[in-house]
Amino acid sequence: AKRTGKGRYEVFRPEMQEAFEKTVNLATDLRLALERDEFVVYYQPICTLADGAPVGLEALVRWQHPARGMVAPMEFIPTAEETELIVPIGHRVLREACRSTAAWNRRRALAGLPELTVHVNLSTRQLRGDTPQMVAEVLGETGLAPSSLVLEITESHQAFDLAQVCDQLQCLKGLGVGLAIDDFGTGYSSLLALREFPIDTIKIDKAFVDNLDGCSDRSDLTRAIVQLGRTVRRDVVAEGVESESQRQALLDCGCRLGQGYLFAKPLDHAAATALVLPAPAQ
Ligand code: C2E
Ligand code: CA
Ligand code: CA
């Protein structure tokens, strides 16, 4: 038994040993996966709710495991954050997402289509001293316009320093990139983040989109969040839009943009290319 202070004892149970070993093994596997370049980026369109036209894409990492197949981020991002492996993984994702989007935007310009923005997830754990410089380098290297990149800030599972995060976000803003708050409404600090951080976009969590077609109390709350976003002049994107009735309810709430299975699931690079560069009509 281990003493935890205040006279309480915490028993070191076999499950804890197991959990610890699992984390260590996963960390080893993640290091190998980086060496073997097993992380791939999927893209989910962000669309205008009115007509479903894509205005941007969210980059979502996957781990293409040789034995386990495609591994979802929820299974490895928490450990990646704990071990700081999220920093090199995040770098790969950002580079890949910026490179793809720069190429798509060049071809879209030739076809007379508007530029797309690419949204890349950044947990507060990733906001370290050299992050703004890393982002600037990736933009330079890939040729993506800074205004075409939006960084989605998610609250890390780990504690973070508000002043340091603020500082980092100001530097990033200085590069000309957009900033979004992810999962808005779920973290206890959503409103604080909106007040303290130089945010352009609010992403309303799926929880506020589910049940939109249900009882009116809940849709009132969603409407209030959309209105809050409009009052403080932020773009508002609804996440996890799955049904036509949700799309309609969001439009009725004054929400303009959405993302979800109704429009498309996250797509691999080839499928995303087909979506953003539609073949000319025969
Ligand atoms: P998120 O940023 O909130 O991303 C949206 C998640 O919702 C994605 O899950 C997406 O596949 C899923 N989703 C989208 N539309 C719908 C819908 O209509 N219905 C339902 N049920 N789900 C929908 P995914 O790809 O499994 O990613 C999970 C989380 O992992 C992300 O949540 C994000 O927090 C994190 N993540 C993904 N890629 C990265 C990354 O490159 N870096 C970091 N730091 N985190 C990442
Ligand atoms: Ca996100
Ligand atoms: Ca989200």
Side-chain angles (χ1 to χ4, degrees):
K2 182 170 125 237
R3 205 164 170 153
T4 58
K6 293 198 181 151
R8 283 185 285 113
Y9 286 84
E10 195 180 302
V11 180
F12 194 81
R13 298 184 305 271
E15 308 91 86
M16 290 168 72
Q17 177 67 28
E18 249 170 61
F20 174 72
E21 277 169 13
K22 238 177 153 173
T23 303
V24 172
N25 290 340
L26 181 54
T28 309
D29 286 354
L30 288 174
R31 274 190 203 94
L32 256 175
L34 269 167
E35 271 173 37
R36 296 178 179 163
D37 221 357
E38 288 170 359
F39 296 103
V40 292
V41 181
Y42 273 47
Y43 300 90
Q44 188 179 35
I46 297 169
C47 302
T48 51
L49 288 166
D51 64 3
V55 297
L57 298 157
E58 178 172 3
L60 295 159
V61 70
R62 303 283 181 266
W63 176 10
Q64 185 139 42
H65 192 282
R68 291 165 64 196
M70 211 54 103
V71 183
M74 272 356 227
E75 301 198 26
F76 62 90
I77 293 281
T79 299
E81 285 184 348
E82 260 172 63
T83 55
E84 303 248 331
L85 285 167
I86 192 66
V87 174
I89 295 172
H91 187 193
R92 298 273 173 98
V93 172
L94 181 72
R95 207 166 44 196
E96 178 63 31
C98 291
R99 191 191 293 136
S100 300
T101 309
W104 287 326
N105 277 344
R106 280 193 292 269
R107 290 173 61 186
R108 280 174 66 91
L110 292 175
L113 294 165
E115 279 197 346
L116 299 170
T117 54
V118 66
H119 287 228
V120 177
N121 292 285
L122 213 61
S123 69
T124 42
R125 183 67 183 237
Q126 284 169 268
L127 291 166
R128 316 189 312 170
D130 52 0
T131 301
Q133 198 196 327
M134 182 275 280
V135 172
E137 277 169 16
V138 169
L139 288 170
E141 177 192 323
T142 60
L144 186 75
S147 58
S148 296
L149 176 64
V150 177
L151 298 172
E152 293 193 0
I153 311 304
T154 42
E155 244 177 84
S156 160
H157 296 269
Q158 316 284 307
F160 64 93
D161 177 348
L162 185 71
Q164 190 193 324
V165 166
C166 246
D167 221 53
Q168 294 282 299
L169 294 179
Q170 291 294 353
C171 290
L172 287 167
K173 198 78 211 132
L175 300 175
V177 307
L179 298 177
I181 308 185
D182 209 347
D183 306 334
F184 188 82
T186 58
Y188 67 92
S189 60
S190 285
L191 289 172
L192 191 66
L194 188 58
R195 194 187 68 184
E196 300 295 326
F197 300 163
I199 294 292
D200 322 274
T201 303
I202 290 172
K203 294 195 77 176
I204 303 185
D205 192 75
K206 182 176 190 309
F208 298 100
V209 173
D210 292 343
N211 298 322
L212 244 187
D213 22 24
C215 79
S216 63
D217 267 13
R218 290 185 173 220
S219 43
D220 283 350
L221 190 54
T222 306
R223 186 184 311 276
I225 298 174
V226 174
Q227 257 146 30
L228 168 73
R230 291 165 61 119
T231 305
V232 297
R233 291 187 198 79
R234 307 299 198 272
D235 286 333
V236 179
V237 179
E239 296 189 306
V241 185
E242 292 181 346
S243 70
E244 179 52 33
S245 58
Q246 288 169 349
R247 185 185 75 88
Q248 199 53 56
L250 285 161
L251 277 171
D252 293 344
C253 286
C255 188
R256 202 176 68 82
L257 300 171
Q259 176 182 355
Y261 297 167
L262 177 67
F263 302 107
K265 292 205 167 180
L267 307 168
D268 66 18
H269 184 273
T273 303
L275 182 102
V276 301
L277 300 171
Q282 299 299 313

Short mmCIF file of all heavy atoms in Angstrom, two decimals, residues 44 58-62 72-74 77 81 86 89-90 93 120-123 126 152 154 182-183 203 205-206 239-242 259-262 264 266, ligand 1:
data_model
loop_
_atom_site.label_atom_id
_atom_site.label_comp_id
_atom_site.label_asym_id
_atom_site.label_seq_id
_atom_site.Cartn_x
_atom_site.Cartn_y
_atom_site.Cartn_z
N GLN A 44 -12.44 15.62 -42.93
CA GLN A 44 -13.91 15.71 -42.92
C GLN A 44 -14.32 17.13 -43.32
O GLN A 44 -13.84 18.10 -42.74
CB GLN A 44 -14.46 15.39 -41.53
CG GLN A 44 -15.98 15.29 -41.54
CD GLN A 44 -16.57 14.95 -40.20
OE1 GLN A 44 -16.06 15.37 -39.16
NE2 GLN A 44 -17.65 14.20 -40.21
N GLU A 58 -11.58 19.37 -41.78
CA GLU A 58 -10.86 19.13 -40.53
C GLU A 58 -9.95 17.93 -40.72
O GLU A 58 -10.39 16.88 -41.20
CB GLU A 58 -11.82 18.88 -39.36
CG GLU A 58 -11.03 18.57 -38.07
CD GLU A 58 -11.86 18.50 -36.80
OE1 GLU A 58 -13.10 18.62 -36.88
OE2 GLU A 58 -11.25 18.33 -35.73
N ALA A 59 -8.69 18.10 -40.35
CA ALA A 59 -7.71 17.00 -40.43
C ALA A 59 -7.84 16.15 -39.16
O ALA A 59 -7.78 16.68 -38.05
CB ALA A 59 -6.30 17.57 -40.54
N LEU A 60 -8.03 14.85 -39.33
CA LEU A 60 -8.18 13.94 -38.19
C LEU A 60 -7.20 12.79 -38.35
O LEU A 60 -7.19 12.09 -39.36
CB LEU A 60 -9.63 13.43 -38.14
CG LEU A 60 -10.67 14.52 -37.85
CD1 LEU A 60 -12.06 14.10 -38.31
CD2 LEU A 60 -10.68 14.88 -36.36
N VAL A 61 -6.36 12.62 -37.34
CA VAL A 61 -5.30 11.61 -37.45
C VAL A 61 -5.86 10.20 -37.25
O VAL A 61 -6.83 9.99 -36.51
CB VAL A 61 -4.15 11.91 -36.45
CG1 VAL A 61 -4.59 11.68 -35.02
CG2 VAL A 61 -2.90 11.10 -36.77
N ARG A 62 -5.25 9.24 -37.93
CA ARG A 62 -5.52 7.81 -37.76
C ARG A 62 -4.17 7.11 -37.67
O ARG A 62 -3.21 7.59 -38.25
CB ARG A 62 -6.27 7.23 -38.97
CG ARG A 62 -7.59 7.93 -39.31
CD ARG A 62 -8.67 7.49 -38.34
NE ARG A 62 -9.96 8.09 -38.61
CZ ARG A 62 -10.41 9.19 -38.04
NH1 ARG A 62 -9.65 9.88 -37.20
NH2 ARG A 62 -11.62 9.64 -38.29
N ALA A 72 -8.36 4.43 -34.01
CA ALA A 72 -8.97 5.76 -33.82
C ALA A 72 -8.14 6.60 -32.84
O ALA A 72 -7.50 6.05 -31.93
CB ALA A 72 -10.39 5.59 -33.29
N PRO A 73 -8.17 7.91 -33.01
CA PRO A 73 -7.33 8.79 -32.17
C PRO A 73 -7.60 8.66 -30.67
O PRO A 73 -6.69 8.79 -29.87
CB PRO A 73 -7.65 10.20 -32.67
CG PRO A 73 -8.80 10.08 -33.59
CD PRO A 73 -8.87 8.68 -34.06
N MET A 74 -8.86 8.39 -30.30
CA MET A 74 -9.17 8.31 -28.88
C MET A 74 -8.37 7.21 -28.19
O MET A 74 -8.17 7.26 -26.98
CB MET A 74 -10.68 8.07 -28.67
CG MET A 74 -11.45 9.40 -28.60
SD MET A 74 -10.37 10.82 -28.65
CE MET A 74 -10.93 11.83 -27.38
N ILE A 77 -4.35 9.16 -28.51
CA ILE A 77 -4.02 10.58 -28.24
C ILE A 77 -3.78 10.84 -26.74
O ILE A 77 -2.82 11.52 -26.40
CB ILE A 77 -5.11 11.53 -28.81
CG1 ILE A 77 -5.13 11.48 -30.35
CG2 ILE A 77 -4.92 12.97 -28.32
CD1 ILE A 77 -4.08 12.27 -31.06
N GLU A 81 -0.37 12.41 -25.43
CA GLU A 81 -0.27 13.67 -24.68
C GLU A 81 0.57 13.48 -23.42
O GLU A 81 1.46 14.28 -23.13
CB GLU A 81 -1.66 14.18 -24.29
CG GLU A 81 -2.41 14.78 -25.45
CD GLU A 81 -3.75 15.38 -25.02
OE1 GLU A 81 -4.20 15.13 -23.88
OE2 GLU A 81 -4.35 16.08 -25.85
N ILE A 86 2.79 13.50 -28.60
CA ILE A 86 1.82 14.29 -29.37
C ILE A 86 2.55 15.40 -30.15
O ILE A 86 2.06 15.85 -31.19
CB ILE A 86 0.73 14.89 -28.44
CG1 ILE A 86 -0.43 15.46 -29.26
CG2 ILE A 86 1.30 15.95 -27.52
CD1 ILE A 86 -1.22 14.48 -30.02
N ILE A 89 3.95 13.78 -33.38
CA ILE A 89 2.79 13.29 -34.15
C ILE A 89 2.04 14.50 -34.72
O ILE A 89 1.70 14.53 -35.91
CB ILE A 89 1.85 12.43 -33.27
CG1 ILE A 89 2.54 11.14 -32.82
CG2 ILE A 89 0.55 12.09 -34.02
CD1 ILE A 89 1.77 10.31 -31.79
N GLY A 90 1.81 15.51 -33.88
CA GLY A 90 1.11 16.72 -34.31
C GLY A 90 1.84 17.43 -35.45
O GLY A 90 1.20 17.96 -36.37
N VAL A 93 1.05 15.58 -38.67
CA VAL A 93 -0.34 15.83 -39.10
C VAL A 93 -0.43 17.23 -39.73
O VAL A 93 -1.01 17.40 -40.80
CB VAL A 93 -1.32 15.70 -37.92
CG1 VAL A 93 -2.73 16.14 -38.31
CG2 VAL A 93 -1.34 14.26 -37.39
N VAL A 120 -6.75 22.08 -38.04
CA VAL A 120 -5.86 21.07 -37.44
C VAL A 120 -6.00 21.15 -35.92
O VAL A 120 -5.99 22.25 -35.36
CB VAL A 120 -4.40 21.29 -37.89
CG1 VAL A 120 -3.46 20.31 -37.20
CG2 VAL A 120 -4.27 21.16 -39.41
N ASN A 121 -6.17 20.00 -35.29
CA ASN A 121 -6.34 19.95 -33.83
C ASN A 121 -5.01 20.15 -33.10
O ASN A 121 -4.00 19.57 -33.48
CB ASN A 121 -6.95 18.61 -33.41
CG ASN A 121 -8.37 18.48 -33.88
OD1 ASN A 121 -9.27 19.08 -33.33
ND2 ASN A 121 -8.57 17.70 -34.95
N LEU A 122 -5.07 20.94 -32.07
CA LEU A 122 -3.89 21.21 -31.25
C LEU A 122 -4.36 21.18 -29.81
O LEU A 122 -5.20 21.99 -29.42
CB LEU A 122 -3.39 22.61 -31.61
CG LEU A 122 -1.91 22.90 -31.57
CD1 LEU A 122 -1.16 22.02 -32.54
CD2 LEU A 122 -1.66 24.36 -31.90
N SER A 123 -3.87 20.22 -29.02
CA SER A 123 -4.28 20.22 -27.62
C SER A 123 -3.41 21.22 -26.87
O SER A 123 -2.31 21.55 -27.32
CB SER A 123 -4.16 18.82 -27.03
OG SER A 123 -2.81 18.46 -26.92
N GLN A 126 0.16 20.72 -26.53
CA GLN A 126 1.08 20.93 -27.65
C GLN A 126 1.57 22.37 -27.75
O GLN A 126 2.42 22.66 -28.58
CB GLN A 126 0.39 20.57 -28.97
CG GLN A 126 0.27 19.08 -29.21
CD GLN A 126 -0.65 18.81 -30.38
OE1 GLN A 126 -1.84 18.62 -30.20
NE2 GLN A 126 -0.11 18.77 -31.56
N GLU A 152 -7.50 24.24 -34.17
CA GLU A 152 -8.59 23.98 -33.22
C GLU A 152 -7.98 23.63 -31.87
O GLU A 152 -7.29 22.63 -31.72
CB GLU A 152 -9.47 22.81 -33.71
CG GLU A 152 -10.21 23.15 -34.97
CD GLU A 152 -11.32 22.14 -35.30
OE1 GLU A 152 -11.50 21.17 -34.53
OE2 GLU A 152 -11.98 22.34 -36.32
N THR A 154 -8.08 22.30 -28.23
CA THR A 154 -8.84 21.44 -27.33
C THR A 154 -8.17 21.45 -25.97
O THR A 154 -6.95 21.52 -25.88
CB THR A 154 -8.87 19.98 -27.81
OG1 THR A 154 -7.57 19.64 -28.27
CG2 THR A 154 -9.87 19.78 -28.91
N ASP A 182 -12.52 24.19 -29.74
CA ASP A 182 -13.16 22.92 -30.05
C ASP A 182 -14.12 22.51 -28.92
O ASP A 182 -13.95 22.96 -27.78
CB ASP A 182 -12.07 21.86 -30.19
CG ASP A 182 -12.46 20.76 -31.14
OD1 ASP A 182 -13.64 20.66 -31.50
OD2 ASP A 182 -11.57 19.99 -31.53
N ASP A 183 -15.10 21.68 -29.24
CA ASP A 183 -16.01 21.11 -28.24
C ASP A 183 -16.61 22.19 -27.34
O ASP A 183 -16.75 21.99 -26.13
CB ASP A 183 -15.28 20.09 -27.34
CG ASP A 183 -14.57 19.01 -28.14
OD1 ASP A 183 -15.00 18.74 -29.28
OD2 ASP A 183 -13.58 18.45 -27.64
N LYS A 203 -16.59 25.97 -32.19
CA LYS A 203 -17.17 24.72 -32.68
C LYS A 203 -18.09 24.15 -31.60
O LYS A 203 -17.62 23.74 -30.54
CB LYS A 203 -16.07 23.73 -33.06
CG LYS A 203 -15.26 24.24 -34.26
CD LYS A 203 -14.42 23.17 -34.88
CE LYS A 203 -15.23 22.23 -35.75
NZ LYS A 203 -14.35 21.23 -36.41
N ASP A 205 -20.12 21.71 -29.62
CA ASP A 205 -19.99 20.27 -29.43
C ASP A 205 -21.24 19.52 -29.89
O ASP A 205 -22.36 20.01 -29.79
CB ASP A 205 -19.72 19.95 -27.97
CG ASP A 205 -19.30 18.51 -27.79
OD1 ASP A 205 -18.15 18.19 -28.13
OD2 ASP A 205 -20.15 17.69 -27.36
N LYS A 206 -20.99 18.30 -30.37
CA LYS A 206 -22.05 17.42 -30.86
C LYS A 206 -23.19 17.25 -29.86
O LYS A 206 -24.36 17.10 -30.24
CB LYS A 206 -21.42 16.06 -31.18
CG LYS A 206 -22.37 15.05 -31.73
CD LYS A 206 -21.63 13.78 -32.10
CE LYS A 206 -22.52 12.83 -32.88
NZ LYS A 206 -23.81 12.56 -32.23
N GLU A 239 -20.94 20.77 -34.77
CA GLU A 239 -20.28 19.48 -34.97
C GLU A 239 -21.27 18.32 -34.87
O GLU A 239 -22.23 18.39 -34.11
CB GLU A 239 -19.25 19.24 -33.86
CG GLU A 239 -18.11 20.20 -33.82
CD GLU A 239 -17.07 19.72 -32.82
OE1 GLU A 239 -17.41 19.48 -31.65
OE2 GLU A 239 -15.92 19.59 -33.23
N GLY A 240 -20.99 17.27 -35.61
CA GLY A 240 -21.77 16.04 -35.46
C GLY A 240 -23.19 16.15 -35.99
O GLY A 240 -24.13 15.60 -35.40
N VAL A 241 -23.37 16.86 -37.11
CA VAL A 241 -24.69 16.97 -37.73
C VAL A 241 -24.97 15.67 -38.49
O VAL A 241 -24.24 15.33 -39.41
CB VAL A 241 -24.76 18.17 -38.71
CG1 VAL A 241 -26.17 18.35 -39.25
CG2 VAL A 241 -24.27 19.44 -38.03
N GLU A 242 -25.98 14.94 -38.03
CA GLU A 242 -26.23 13.63 -38.63
C GLU A 242 -27.54 13.56 -39.42
O GLU A 242 -27.71 12.69 -40.26
CB GLU A 242 -26.26 12.56 -37.53
CG GLU A 242 -24.88 12.35 -36.89
CD GLU A 242 -24.87 11.28 -35.82
OE1 GLU A 242 -25.97 10.88 -35.37
OE2 GLU A 242 -23.77 10.86 -35.44
N GLN A 259 -20.69 20.32 -39.70
CA GLN A 259 -19.79 19.22 -40.03
C GLN A 259 -20.45 17.98 -39.46
O GLN A 259 -21.00 18.03 -38.36
CB GLN A 259 -18.46 19.52 -39.33
CG GLN A 259 -17.39 18.50 -39.44
CD GLN A 259 -16.14 18.93 -38.65
OE1 GLN A 259 -16.07 20.04 -38.10
NE2 GLN A 259 -15.17 18.05 -38.57
N GLY A 260 -20.43 16.89 -40.20
CA GLY A 260 -21.02 15.67 -39.65
C GLY A 260 -21.34 14.66 -40.72
O GLY A 260 -21.20 14.95 -41.91
N TYR A 261 -21.78 13.48 -40.28
CA TYR A 261 -22.03 12.37 -41.19
C TYR A 261 -23.08 12.70 -42.23
O TYR A 261 -23.10 12.11 -43.30
CB TYR A 261 -22.44 11.12 -40.41
CG TYR A 261 -21.37 10.59 -39.48
CD1 TYR A 261 -21.68 9.61 -38.52
CD2 TYR A 261 -20.06 11.03 -39.55
CE1 TYR A 261 -20.71 9.13 -37.66
CE2 TYR A 261 -19.08 10.55 -38.69
CZ TYR A 261 -19.41 9.59 -37.75
OH TYR A 261 -18.46 9.10 -36.90
N LEU A 262 -23.99 13.67 -41.95
CA LEU A 262 -24.98 14.07 -42.95
C LEU A 262 -24.28 14.53 -44.23
O LEU A 262 -24.75 14.25 -45.33
CB LEU A 262 -25.86 15.20 -42.40
CG LEU A 262 -26.91 15.76 -43.38
CD1 LEU A 262 -27.98 14.72 -43.70
CD2 LEU A 262 -27.57 17.02 -42.81
N ALA A 264 -20.52 14.25 -44.79
CA ALA A 264 -19.52 13.22 -45.09
C ALA A 264 -18.85 12.75 -43.82
O ALA A 264 -18.70 13.52 -42.86
CB ALA A 264 -18.47 13.76 -46.06
N PRO A 266 -15.23 11.32 -42.07
CA PRO A 266 -13.83 11.63 -42.40
C PRO A 266 -13.37 10.75 -43.57
O PRO A 266 -13.65 9.55 -43.59
CB PRO A 266 -13.09 11.30 -41.10
CG PRO A 266 -14.12 11.45 -40.03
CD PRO A 266 -15.39 10.96 -40.65
P1 C2E B 1 -12.90 16.26 -32.52
O1 C2E B 1 -11.84 17.27 -32.81
O2 C2E B 1 -14.10 16.72 -31.78
O3 C2E B 1 -13.27 15.64 -33.93
C1 C2E B 1 -14.57 15.29 -34.30
C2 C2E B 1 -14.79 13.81 -34.08
O4 C2E B 1 -16.18 13.54 -34.29
C3 C2E B 1 -14.04 12.93 -35.08
O5 C2E B 1 -13.70 11.73 -34.41
C4 C2E B 1 -15.11 12.67 -36.14
O6 C2E B 1 -14.88 11.49 -36.86
C5 C2E B 1 -16.34 12.58 -35.30
N1 C2E B 1 -17.56 12.93 -36.04
C6 C2E B 1 -17.68 13.82 -37.05
N2 C2E B 1 -18.95 13.91 -37.47
C7 C2E B 1 -19.66 13.06 -36.72
C8 C2E B 1 -21.06 12.70 -36.68
O7 C2E B 1 -21.89 13.18 -37.45
N3 C2E B 1 -21.43 11.78 -35.75
C9 C2E B 1 -20.53 11.22 -34.90
N4 C2E B 1 -20.97 10.34 -34.03
N5 C2E B 1 -19.22 11.54 -34.89
C10 C2E B 1 -18.79 12.44 -35.80
P2 C2E B 1 -12.24 11.11 -34.47
O8 C2E B 1 -11.67 11.28 -35.85
O9 C2E B 1 -12.33 9.74 -33.90
O10 C2E B 1 -11.40 12.04 -33.51
C11 C2E B 1 -11.62 12.05 -32.13
C12 C2E B 1 -10.86 13.14 -31.45
O11 C2E B 1 -9.44 12.91 -31.48
C13 C2E B 1 -11.03 14.50 -32.10
O12 C2E B 1 -12.26 15.03 -31.69
C14 C2E B 1 -9.82 15.25 -31.56
O13 C2E B 1 -10.08 15.75 -30.26
C15 C2E B 1 -8.79 14.15 -31.45
N6 C2E B 1 -7.88 14.26 -32.59
C16 C2E B 1 -8.02 13.79 -33.85
N7 C2E B 1 -6.94 14.10 -34.63
C17 C2E B 1 -6.10 14.80 -33.82
C18 C2E B 1 -4.80 15.42 -34.01
O14 C2E B 1 -4.20 15.40 -35.11
N8 C2E B 1 -4.27 16.04 -32.92
C19 C2E B 1 -4.89 16.11 -31.71
N9 C2E B 1 -4.27 16.73 -30.70
N10 C2E B 1 -6.09 15.54 -31.50
C20 C2E B 1 -6.69 14.90 -32.53
#
